[in-house]
Amino acid sequence: MKKVLAFLAAIILISSLTACNLSDENPENVLNRLDGIVGLISNSQITSDESLVGVRNNTEDSYTGEYIAKCNGQTWRDVIFGGGTIQKRSLRIRGRICQKSGKATIRIRMNTVVTELKTDEKGNFETILDMTSGGNYIMIDYKNFSGSVELISEYCSGSIQEI
């Protein structure tokens, strides 16, 4: 935590020394730049590729991509997608859990609210997330799980339904 605070202090100091002409800057560019800084800081919460139970393929950023896991008695938590943001994001999350034994649970954390996604009788799940500013993460909890998990996260448009 001390490293994060020191990093934030350094960013603020550098920004104050170089921000003489920020009033001339496009507000959208400033917002995107700040969102990028917040995103970099929050990436430490996402499980590294080397430590994942499965394999993650990111597409545009740390919020979208594909994740596939084949498990044999795993007990672990993979934080797969997400991060900190100051911008709103709408994501469509879908996939399938094929369970032989144990349990795998898809969990969504949006700031302090944690929700578990329900699957249908075939193990399919799908939802649309309306993520606001703060920390937003998509994770899987494995408890002695044997089977497979497929998860896709992509940006969407249209009506937004919070989980």
Side-chain angles (χ1 to χ4, degrees), residues 9-62:
I11 294 294
I12 292 169
L13 179 61
I14 291 169
S15 296
S16 67
L17 295 174
T18 61
C20 296
N21 292 326
L22 268 185
S23 61
D24 297 336
E25 186 74 34
N26 177 341
E28 187 174 329
N29 290 343
V30 173
L31 181 64
N32 288 336
R33 197 173 306 150
L34 290 173
D35 194 57
I37 292 169
V38 170
L40 284 173
I41 294 168
S42 67
N43 278 345
S44 66
Q45 300 297 309
I46 296 175
T47 306
S48 68
D49 288 344
E50 300 80 32
S51 298
L52 285 171
V53 169
V55 175
R56 170 182 46 221
N57 293 307
N58 289 79
T59 53
E60 298 176 45
D61 55 23
S62 64

Side-chain angles (χ1 to χ4, degrees), residues 146-161:
S146 293
S148 63
V149 176
E150 297 175 31
L151 185 145
I152 297 169
S153 174
E154 56 198 356
Y155 286 109
C156 64
S157 60
S159 64
I160 303 301
Q161 304 167 359

Side-chain angles (χ1 to χ4, degrees), residues 59-163:
T59 53
E60 298 176 45
D61 55 23
S62 64
Y63 289 89
T64 60
E66 191 174 272
Y67 171 87
I68 297 173
K70 297 189 185 319
C71 304
N72 189 16
Q74 300 326 107
T75 298
W76 183 254
R77 173 180 289 161
D78 275 350
V79 182
I80 302 166
F81 299 115
T85 183
I86 58 175
Q87 297 182 6
K88 293 183 179 183
R89 298 172 191 272
S90 296
L91 297 175
R92 176 179 177 223
I93 309 301
R94 60 188 169 90
R96 183 172 186 189
I97 299 174
C98 296
Q99 178 180 334
K100 293 179 182 174
S101 64
K103 184 171 179 141
T105 306
I106 309 296
R107 299 178 73 227
I108 308 295
R109 189 184 85 180
M110 295 192 299
N111 294 311
T112 60
V113 177
V114 177
T115 305
E116 294 182 359
L117 293 184
K118 303 293 183 205
T119 60
D120 66 14
E121 64 279 349
K122 294 181 182 179
N124 297 313
F125 59 89
E126 183 171 351
T127 192
I128 295 186
L129 305 176
D130 184 19
M131 296 179 161
T132 59
S133 64
N136 300 283
Y137 297 93
I138 301 163
M139 56 197 109
I140 301 178
D141 279 350
Y142 297 103
K143 291 192 173 98
N144 297 316
F145 179 75
S146 293
S148 63
V149 176
E150 297 175 31
L151 185 145
I152 297 169
S153 174
E154 56 198 356
Y155 286 109
C156 64
S157 60
S159 64
I160 303 301
Q161 304 167 359
E162 285 191 30
I163 60 172

